[in-house]
C-alpha cells in the first residue's frame, strides 16, 4: 500500500466492528460552558444512527450488533464507539456508569471515545488507561479540526491548538492509542496551510487520523457564512480533493494510520452532491492517484520538499 490504512486487524490481530452509540453526553460548546451555538459547521444529528434512539446503552449495543449482522458483516468482537457530541464531558461517575454498561456486554471488547481536547483531564485519562489494563481495547479520538488558532476562533471552536496538543500528548503518555479528526477546507485556510498541517500533526504522538472534506450542512452558521463569502472556502471537487490528499499524505508521518478520508451525511443534511460519494470509492481513487503520481505517504516527511514540486 502507498499509504497506511487504519486496521483493527493490524493493530490487535482481530477484526473489530465499531458500534456507534449515543451515550447521552452533551457538548460544552453548546450548553454555554465554553460557548453557545456550537462549532459553526456542526449539526450532530447527522451522526446519530437510527438504532440508538430511546434505548439504554446495552440495548443500543444489541441493536448495533443486530444491524451489522443483518448486513452480513462478520466481526471477532465489537467496540462501543461513543461518537456523538463530547463523550468525556461529564463527571467521572457519569462516564464510569456509561462506559461500564457498554463494557459489561459480553460481546463488547473495548471502547472508542470521541471527544473534545478540552474535555479530558488526568483523572479521566487515568481511568481510561485503567480500563485498558483490564484487557479491553481503549482508543481516544480528538476533534482537532484545524491546527490554526485563527481558524478555530473563526469556527467558534472554543479551544486552541495548544489545548489539542496537550490532550494528545497526555493521552499518548498513558499508552492509549490516540486519533484525530481534521477537516479539510475550513474557511480562510489555503492549500498551503492545509499541507503545512500535515507536518505539524506529524510532530504529535498520533496513531491515527481521520480526514474529512468540509461538508456545509443545511441550517448551520457555516452555511450562512458560505453564502455570504464563498471565496473564503477552498471547496475542492473530488479530483482536486484527492490530489490535495496525496500532497498531504506525502508530508505526513508514514505510521499514522488513515481512518477515513471523506465524511458523508444523509442527503437531507446537505446540498453538496460530491459529499455523498462513499469512502470506498474515494479510497480507490486515492490509491489510483498515488500510483499515477508514483508517490506514497511520508515521502516528504521531515524533508524540505523541493520547490519545483
Ligand atoms: S462539533 Fe463537537 S464540539 Fe463542536 S459543537 Fe458539535 S458536538 Fe460540540
Amino acid at each position: 500500500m502507498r499509504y497506511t490504512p487504519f486496521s483493527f486487524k493490524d493493530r490487535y490481530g482481530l477484526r473489530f466492528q465499531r458500534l456507534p452509540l449515543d451515550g447521552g453526553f452533551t457538548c460544552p460548546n453548546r450548553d454555554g460552558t465554553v460557548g453557545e451555538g456550537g462549532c459553526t459547521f456542526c449539526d450532530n444529528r447527522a451522526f446519530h444512527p437510527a438504532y440508538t434512539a430511546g434505548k439504554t446503552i446495552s440495548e443500543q449495543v444489541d441493536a448495533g450488533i443486530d444491524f451489522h449482522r443483518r448486513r452480513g458483516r462478520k466481526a471477532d468482537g465489537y467496540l462501543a464507539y461513543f461518537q456523538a457530541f463530547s463523550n468525556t464531558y461529564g463527571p467521572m461517575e457519569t462516564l464510569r456508569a456509561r462506559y461500564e454498561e457498554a463494557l459489561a456486554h459480553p460481546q463488547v471488547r473495548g471502547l472508542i471515545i470521541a471527544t473534545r481536547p478540552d474535555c479530558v483531564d488526568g483523572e479521566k485519562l487515568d481511568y481510561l488507561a485503567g480500563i485498558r489494563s483490564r484487557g479491553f481495547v481503549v482508543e481516544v479520538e480528538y476533534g482537532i479540526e484545524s491546527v490554526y488558532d485563527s481558524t478555530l476562533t473563526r469556527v467558534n471552536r472554543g479551544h486552541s491548538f495548544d489545548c489539542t496538543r496537550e490532550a494528545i500528548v497526555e493521552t499518548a503518555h498513558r499508552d492509549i492509542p490516540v486519533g484525530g479528526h481534521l477537516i479539510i477546507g475550513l474557511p480562510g485556510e489555503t492549500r498551503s496551510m492545509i499541507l503545512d498541517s500535515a507536518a505539524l500533526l506529524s510532530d504529535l504522538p498520533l496513531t491515527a487520523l481521520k480526514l474529512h472534506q468540509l461538508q456545509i450542512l443545511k441550517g448551520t452558521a457555516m452555511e450562512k457564512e458560505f453564502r455570504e463569502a464563498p471565496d473564503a472556502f477552498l471547496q475542492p471537487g473530488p479530483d482536486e480533493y484527492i490530489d490535495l490528499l496525496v500532497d498531504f499524505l506525502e508530508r505526513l508521518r508514514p505510521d499514522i494510520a488513515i481512518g477515513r478520508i471523506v465524511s458523508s451525511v444523509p442527503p437531507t443534511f446537505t446540498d453538496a452532491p460530491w459529499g455523498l460519494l462513499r469512502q470506498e470509492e474515494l479510497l480507490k481513487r486515492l490509491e489510483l492517484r498515488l500510483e499515477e503520481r508514483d508517490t506514497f505517504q511520508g515521502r516528504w516527511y521531515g524533508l524540505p520538499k523541493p520547490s519545483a514540486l
Side-chain angles (χ1 to χ4, degrees), residues 16-76:
F16 290 130
Q17 187 75 248
R18 287 184 187 86
L19 299 176
L21 304 179
D22 182 351
F25 293 97
T26 57
C27 167
N29 201 19
R30 290 191 168 277
D31 69 8
T33 304
V34 168
E36 280 172 4
C39 308
T40 59
F41 52 80
C42 173
D43 183 343
N44 231 284
R45 290 173 308 160
F47 301 99
H48 274 77
Y51 63 73
T52 62
K55 294 190 175 72
T56 65
I57 286 170
S58 45
E59 287 168 350
Q60 290 180 46
V61 170
D62 283 332
I65 291 173
D66 187 50
F67 176 88
H68 288 296
R69 285 211 178 122
R70 275 189 279 115
R71 280 158 182 76
R73 296 174 187 155
K74 295 203 173 99
D76 298 319

Side-chain angles (χ1 to χ4, degrees), residues 191 195 247 250-251 293-295 299-300 304-309:
R191 201 174 195 286
L195 298 183
D247 288 330
E250 283 184 329
R251 289 158 175 81
R293 288 178 48 179
D294 192 19
T295 190
R299 180 178 189 181
W300 302 113
K305 187 167 185 192
S307 54
L309 295 172

